[in-house]
Amino acid sequence: MEALQKNKFDALTGMRAIAAIMVFVYHNRKYWRYDLPFEIMRFISEWHIGVTVFFVLSGFLLAYRYEEKPLESKKYYLKYILLRIARIFPLYWILLSCYFLDTSYSKGVDTYFLQYSLFYSLFERYSVSGIVQAWSLTVEFFFYILAPFLFLLLKKSWKYCILFLIGFFLLGWGIGVGLKEFNGNPKGFLYPLQFMIGSTFFGRSLEFFFGMLLAYLMKKEKGIQFLNKIKKPTLWGGISILIFTISIAFFARNNFAHGVERWEGRVIHELFLPVAIAVFFWGLMTKRTFVSRILSTKFFILLGNASFVFYLIHLSYFNMKLKSYFYLPDRNFVALWICSIIIYLLIEKPLYEACRKLIAKIK
């Protein structure tokens, strides 16, 4: 429990690197589509669950650090939101600006406001434009806005929180369907249903909820007692993640499909997988195991800190630009990590620190 007392989650930081690597492999799976057996390929095709790891982790960290404190006053909430903006937007804006300035890559793309505001990922038509993978930042930011309120509901009763999230889901679904009936919804705003469920906070909110639930339990004596009943949480959490991922993959029809495209796979993905991830996180924080020791090393902590940069550059503009100079057999995996670490140390980290100091001066 020493790590908890110091409020340090080194192994969780290292886990961010693993999640980013999973997403990298997932996005490059097409190169092995005809070489690997179908059983292995459809398993790798579900490694998008690295994003689920990020979402559960965000739910946990924000709930553990902030709880509902930002709701104490307008000033606290403003500073909280500004800190969240400073966390994700500056680097994204820099990369997006480079993309738009390089017209050989951005020619024909004129959705500037939608891209810079991240609203683009709420439209199916634009969801694969610009910095494609930044759709998850939109999901994250929706959570940032609602997180203090959600934790307040969670403290009152988990049922209130779930009911709110169900209502929020129905709201998004209603807007998408309503626009479809009104004008055909030609740009696919929160439509069709499969897009809304898989690519927006309306459909992915439970992944954050289970992270928040872990934080809530860790704040309560009875919650700690309940969590302590889980024997070997790192082992069984990890095995459960593996089993649920294989279960999701089972519903993939071929090498070009995902198991989450079937309702059975989506249910496992949203209801069971996040629980397994939360249990695994509990193990990483409280049990000294081989896995937690590896993830807590300086090397993995550095990779974890640079994982946000890696996520934003491993696909889309930066990656394509890098390929135009050289393309190594590892799909530039090592080169992208080197670039990520450099960008993190020289740009992302100092920029965030500067923003944080400015926000702290708000009175």
Side-chain angles (χ1 to χ4, degrees):
M1 301 295 289
E2 182 181 354
L4 291 179
Q5 293 170 359
K6 293 183 178 180
N7 198 25
K8 292 177 63 176
F9 307 105
D10 289 344
L12 296 186
T13 301
M15 189 62 200
R16 291 171 59 90
I18 301 299
I21 291 170
M22 292 181 72
V23 175
F24 175 87
V25 174
Y26 164 72
H27 281 139
N28 284 276
R29 71 196 187 284
K30 59 185 177 183
Y31 299 109
W32 311 304
R33 183 168 282 146
Y34 301 104
D35 299 323
L36 294 176
F38 172 56
E39 290 73 17
I40 296 177
M41 266 306 304
R42 68 179 181 180
F43 175 63
I44 294 175
S45 290
E46 304 305 333
W47 281 22
H48 54 78
I49 69 164
V51 175
T52 302
V53 172
F54 282 126
F55 288 168
V56 176
L57 183 57
S58 290
F60 168 74
L61 290 176
L62 256 71
Y64 193 87
R65 291 174 179 171
Y66 290 102
E67 300 184 35
E68 78 280 12
K69 291 186 180 69
L71 299 178
E72 292 178 0
S73 71
K74 293 179 180 179
K75 183 188 73 172
Y76 288 153
Y77 187 77
L78 174 63
K79 294 175 75 171
Y80 159 78
I81 287 296
L82 289 176
L83 279 171
R84 296 299 93 203
I85 290 174
R87 179 66 185 89
I88 65 174
F89 275 96
L91 181 63
Y92 169 68
W93 283 336
I94 291 171
L95 292 172
L96 187 63
S97 296
C98 292
Y99 165 74
F100 278 123
L101 289 172
D102 194 340
T103 54
S104 60
Y105 288 88
S106 60
K107 185 178 180 180
V109 180
D110 57 1
T111 53
Y112 299 106
F113 172 75
L114 290 178
Q115 298 289 341
Y116 278 100
S117 64
L118 284 176
F119 287 157
Y120 82 96
S121 64
L122 298 177
F123 297 83
E124 187 190 34
R125 172 178 291 186
Y126 305 129
S127 61
V128 291
S129 62
I131 311 296
V132 176
Q133 64 272 33
W135 69 268
S136 66
L137 302 188
T138 312
V139 180
E140 286 267 357
F141 198 68
F142 264 80
F143 171 65
Y144 292 164
I145 293 171
L146 294 172
F149 176 66
L150 291 175
F151 195 79
L152 180 63
L153 290 178
L154 182 58
K155 287 183 70 174
K156 292 182 179 297
S157 172
W158 64 269
K159 296 178 183 178
Y160 292 151
C161 194
I162 290 293
L163 286 173
F164 176 86
L165 293 177
I166 292 174
F168 202 68
F169 169 79
L170 294 175
L171 173 65
W173 187 13
I175 291 173
V177 172
L179 288 174
K180 177 66 175 178
E181 295 297 321
F182 177 69
N183 63 1
N185 202 352
K187 297 178 181 178
F189 182 71
L190 299 179
Y191 190 88
L193 180 62
Q194 187 171 345
F195 164 73
M196 190 202 75
I197 290 176
S199 301
T200 73
F201 179 76
F202 296 91
R204 305 290 294 260
S205 61
L206 285 179
E207 296 164 47
F208 296 93
F209 167 78
F210 286 110
M212 296 181 70
L213 184 60
L214 174 61
Y216 171 76
L217 292 173
M218 288 172 58
K219 293 282 186 176
K220 300 293 182 180
E221 184 177 346
K222 289 184 178 180
I224 291 289
Q225 292 173 357
F226 171 77
L227 290 171
N228 282 331
K229 292 180 181 179
I230 304 174
K231 303 300 181 183
K232 299 182 179 180
T234 310
L235 174 64
W236 292 115
I239 290 175
S240 298
I241 292 172
L242 181 62
I243 291 173
F244 289 139
T245 305
I246 293 173
S247 299
I248 294 169
F250 176 79
F251 295 102
R253 300 183 304 278
N254 53 57
N255 281 351
F256 298 87
H258 300 86
V260 289
E261 293 175 19
R262 289 268 298 270
W263 71 266
E264 300 96 332
R266 180 57 67 180
V267 168
I268 295 171
H269 185 272
E270 298 302 324
L271 292 182
F272 300 107
L273 180 63
V275 175
I277 293 171
V279 171
F280 185 69
F281 285 174
W282 169 247
L284 289 181
M285 289 183 286
T286 58
K287 306 297 181 183
R288 291 291 293 173
T289 62
F290 173 76
V291 176
S292 67
R293 287 196 293 270
I294 292 294
L295 293 178
S296 298
T297 59
K298 291 182 179 180
F299 175 71
F300 267 97
I301 290 173
L302 176 60
L303 293 185
N305 286 329
S307 62
F308 178 61
V309 182
F310 183 83
Y311 180 76
L312 284 182
I313 71 172
H314 85 281
L315 190 67
S316 303
Y317 173 68
F318 190 98
N319 187 33
M320 291 187 293
K321 193 70 176 178
L322 191 64
K323 286 180 181 178
S324 69
Y325 294 108
F326 59 88
Y327 192 37
L328 302 176
D330 66 348
R331 314 298 173 190
N332 283 347
F333 176 75
V334 175
L336 284 167
W337 270 115
I338 292 172
C339 292
S340 299
I341 292 170
I342 293 172
I343 294 172
Y344 165 70
L345 293 175
L346 299 184
I347 299 177
E348 186 201 359
K349 184 178 179 180
L351 194 57
Y352 176 70
E353 290 298 326
C355 291
R356 192 170 68 171
K357 289 178 181 178
L358 287 174
I359 294 168
K361 294 180 180 179
I362 297 176
K363 297 181 180 180

